[in-house]
Every structure is written in C-alpha cells, then in structure tokens.
Amino acid sequence: MDTMRWENGEFYLLDQTKLPGQSEYICCRDYITVAEAIKRLSVRGAPAIGAAAAYGLVLGAMGLKGEEEQNFLAGVEEIARHLSATRPTAVNLNWALERMLDRVKSEDSMTPEEIIGIMIREADSIHREDLEGNRKMGLFGLDLIPQGARILTHCNAGALATAGYGTALGVIRAAHEAGKKVSVYADETRPLLQGARLTAWEMLQEGIPVTLITDNMAGYLMSRGMVDLVVVGSDRIAANGDVANKIGTYGVAVLAREHGIPFFVAAPFSTIDISLQSGSQIPIEERSPEEVTCLGGIRLAPEGVRVWNPAFDVTPARLVSAIITERGVLRSPYDRSIRELY
Ligand code: MRU
C-alpha cells in the first residue's frame, strides 16, 4: 500500500490516523489540505513528511498559475513557509522544501506552467530517491543484524513513515529478506500508538514475526535477555550525532546501554542537520494535551489535569552504537564520521 501517490495533478495520502482499522486515502487538491494532514499526522514520519510537503508545494504553485512570474515565485516561497511551520522537529520537511525552492530558483525566465512541470519532477525525485535510499540503508544494516536476532523498535520508522520500505524497519525487512529469521518487539509508543497501530500492522503484512509490548515493558524484556539489538529511526540528527526521535526513544537507549545491547539508528542523510552542533538545539514539538488525556477518543484522565506532551526526545550520541545511512554506517566519534561523509 502506497503511503502517498501523485496522480493526474492530484495528491493522495494514506490517512494513517485511521490505520489499521481503515485504509482510506485523502485526496489533496491544495496545499492547505496537505499542511493539515501533516499537522494531524495523517502523514507522519520524517522522510514521508518531507516528500508530502514537496508535493504540497506543487499543489500550492498550481494554485498560483495565473500570477506574473515575480508574484508566482513570492507566492511559492510563502507557501513553503506555511508548509514548513506544520511540524518543527523533523528536518526532512525543511530539507525537501529548500530543495524544491532551490530547483525553482535555478531556472531563469520560465513560465509558471514550465516551473510547475519542473517542480513535479523534483518532488517525484525526492520520493523515488527516498525509496532507493531506504533499500541501500537496509543492505548497509545487514552486517549489524545477527542470524535470528530479536529486535526491539520504537514508534514506526517503516514504509508508512517514508516513501516505502522504511529506515529502521527497512533494515529489519532487508534482514528478513536475507533469510536471517529475525523477530521484532514493537513498543506500542504512547501517546499516539504508532508502534501498536502501524509497526505491528506493517510487520504482520510482511510476515515478519512481531510481538507488541507497552512502552514500560522494554526494561523487563531486556533484563530477561530477550532483546539482541534495538533499531529506531530519527527525525533529526545533530552534527555531533545526538539523535531526536519519537518520545520514549531516549529511555530505550538508556535501557539498552544498561543491558549491553547495541542501539542502532537508521536514517537518511537528509535527517542529519549539520547546522546544529548538538541535540540540545533541536526544536522539540509539543502537541495537544488531549493526546495524553484521551485514548481512541475516550477521556481517561480527570478534567483539569496539567499535561506535558513533547512528541520527541533526544538520545545523546554516546548511547548510539551506529547510525545506518544510505551512504554507509557511521560510528563514533560522530562529529568526525558525519563530517567525513559530507
Ligand atoms: O510523530 P511521528 O509519528 O511523525 O514520529 C515519527 C518518528 O519519530 C519516526 O521514528 C521518525 O520520523 C523516523 S521515520 C523513518
């Protein structure tokens, strides 16, 4: 099932808020619909948000077709700012929008019509390259996955979070395809249950053995010797290798270190933000209290209770055993290995 697809000037997004119960696509004909879908997490996961925003910008540009060239370009930039403001943590969102704008600005004296054609091709490239990159990442990760490995993952860094195949789940998929007989523990990932709803669903679809646990079971699971390694995705990696990912990832990394279990991060190069020296500079999205006080639309916590709901946390580089990218596997010291790869 495609996470997203561009078809005859319309953009379709699989509504991930409805999974696994219903598989429904949202038809986007304007950029506002795409921006709302990103905010609502109908499309989520760092690389998927980036690709969706690129197509959103195309839809925005299509709405400006009749404008003079100067107004058209100013309008496209304004729409990029709007899309970029939807979610602050995943750097892939800005990366994709900047790539689209750079492409637009590199063309001289073209009509809006011609520029839109170029933009569609650029968004298609972002989408296609992400899928290709994930497959490469999976192959680079193969050496790190022993035969029969029992792998814990947090949140959903799978096909649904990307253009396809996935990052962390891509590494797991590649190991499965290579006949390594791996099995997966999926953290349910409160508050929005991306692990329970999406990772469990993806693994079942793929025929990869998966066991669902609540987030607070990971420590006991590790203490019983039932986990061989952890692999997660990332929303932004600072120049020193600090990793922002779904809230709860940091706790898993601390537990993994305590139990001597390797903790791997799989992410495309576009997730690395060398403009930030450390993870403390990564903006962390805070979301609505209802995500914590309610579950499936049912209120569980008392009215009036104060809530803190950061959507991501930062795992310090010292807890990360390796970062798997589509260009190779990075090891500590990350400031050096990241710089070398650049
Ligand atoms: O809030 P979400 O569901 O967008 O958070 C997603 C994650 O934290 C993923 O682990 C991350 O984006 C990597 S996806 C390949």
Side-chain angles (χ1 to χ4, degrees):
M1 192 167 286
D2 293 330
T3 314
M4 63 188 80
R5 65 171 191 277
W6 178 263
E7 214 172 83
N8 303 325
E10 288 175 339
F11 182 47
Y12 292 85
L13 280 172
L14 180 61
D15 187 352
Q16 298 189 33
T17 62
K18 303 243 170 86
L19 287 173
Q22 292 155 280
S23 309
E24 277 176 25
Y25 281 87
I26 303 166
C27 175
C28 307
R29 296 192 178 93
D30 55 59
Y31 78 92
I32 300 278
T33 312
V34 178
E36 291 306 316
I38 294 174
K39 273 194 210 158
R40 197 188 325 116
L41 268 56
S42 288
V43 58
R44 30 72 47 204
I49 296 172
Y55 284 113
L57 194 61
V58 175
L59 290 174
M62 286 165 72
L64 298 168
K65 233 187 245 172
E67 299 284 342
E68 302 269 314
E69 192 185 327
Q70 210 56 21
N71 291 347
F72 174 80
L73 290 178
V76 169
E77 280 178 327
E78 181 56 37
I79 291 166
R81 278 192 289 277
H82 182 100
L83 285 162
S84 147
T86 50
R87 296 196 76 190
T89 303
V91 73
N92 313 61
L93 176 60
N94 280 333
W95 171 86
L97 289 168
E98 273 165 28
R99 178 169 158 174
M100 293 290 287
L101 288 178
D102 285 349
R103 189 73 188 83
V104 167
K105 287 179 197 160
S106 70
E107 297 299 334
D108 266 346
S109 19
M110 286 216 164
T111 63
E113 200 86 37
E114 288 166 328
I115 295 177
I116 289 164
I118 287 170
M119 289 175 77
I120 294 174
R121 286 196 290 283
E122 195 64 18
D124 284 344
S125 300
I126 289 172
H127 188 255
R128 192 188 55 250
E129 287 166 24
D130 185 54
L131 181 58
E132 290 166 0
N134 291 341
R135 288 190 182 278
K136 284 187 196 151
M137 215 179 288
L139 295 179
F140 278 122
L142 263 188
D143 288 347
L144 304 174
I145 313 289
Q147 191 72 27
R150 296 157 303 171
I151 306 169
L152 177 76
T153 189
H154 190 74
C155 194
N156 173 269
L160 292 166
T162 60
Y165 205 67
T167 57
L169 295 193
V171 171
I172 293 172
R173 275 197 167 87
H176 173 74
E177 285 162 13
K180 291 207 170 185
K181 303 229 174 303
V182 295
S183 56
V184 173
Y185 286 104
D187 277 352
E188 69 169 348
T189 318
R190 268 289 278 156
L192 293 178
L193 304 176
Q194 287 92 332
R197 295 186 302 106
L198 309 177
T199 295
W201 182 75
E202 268 196 47
M203 294 293 92
L204 287 173
Q205 298 265 318
E206 196 81 5
I208 299 175
V210 58
T211 304
L212 178 63
I213 60 167
T214 63
D215 300 333
N216 51 0
M217 294 172 187
Y220 183 53
L221 188 77
M222 290 183 190
S223 77
R224 297 269 308 254
M226 291 163 76
V227 179
D228 299 304
L229 62 99
V230 176
V231 60
V232 296
S234 173
D235 292 83
R236 195 184 299 223
I237 299 172
N240 69 345
D242 289 350
V243 170
N245 191 46
K246 179 52 58 190
I247 190 76
T249 303
Y250 170 54
V252 174
V254 171
L255 286 169
R257 174 58 55 93
E258 169 68 15
H259 294 93
I261 296 168
F263 178 89
F264 298 123
V265 174
F269 219 62
S270 52
T271 301
I272 300 175
D273 183 353
I274 47 156
S275 75
L276 302 185
Q277 279 168 1
S278 80
S280 62
Q281 295 166 295
I282 298 175
I284 300 295
E285 176 182 10
E286 293 197 16
R287 294 184 60 87
S288 103
E290 284 71 38
E291 292 181 354
V292 176
T293 54
C294 302
L295 201 55
I298 297 168
R299 192 172 177 99
L300 302 173
E303 292 286 350
V305 69
R306 232 193 332 256
V307 170
W308 186 46
N309 185 17
F312 301 95
D313 59 26
V314 177
T315 298
R318 68 189 145 75
L319 298 179
V320 178
S321 311
I323 300 175
I324 307 160
T325 77
E326 74 278 33
R327 300 191 195 177
V329 175
L330 306 180
R331 296 277 189 178
S332 173
Y334 293 106
D335 47 359
R336 202 167 67 203
S337 52
I338 287 173
R339 228 180 313 120
E340 276 169 10
L341 218 58
Y342 259 90

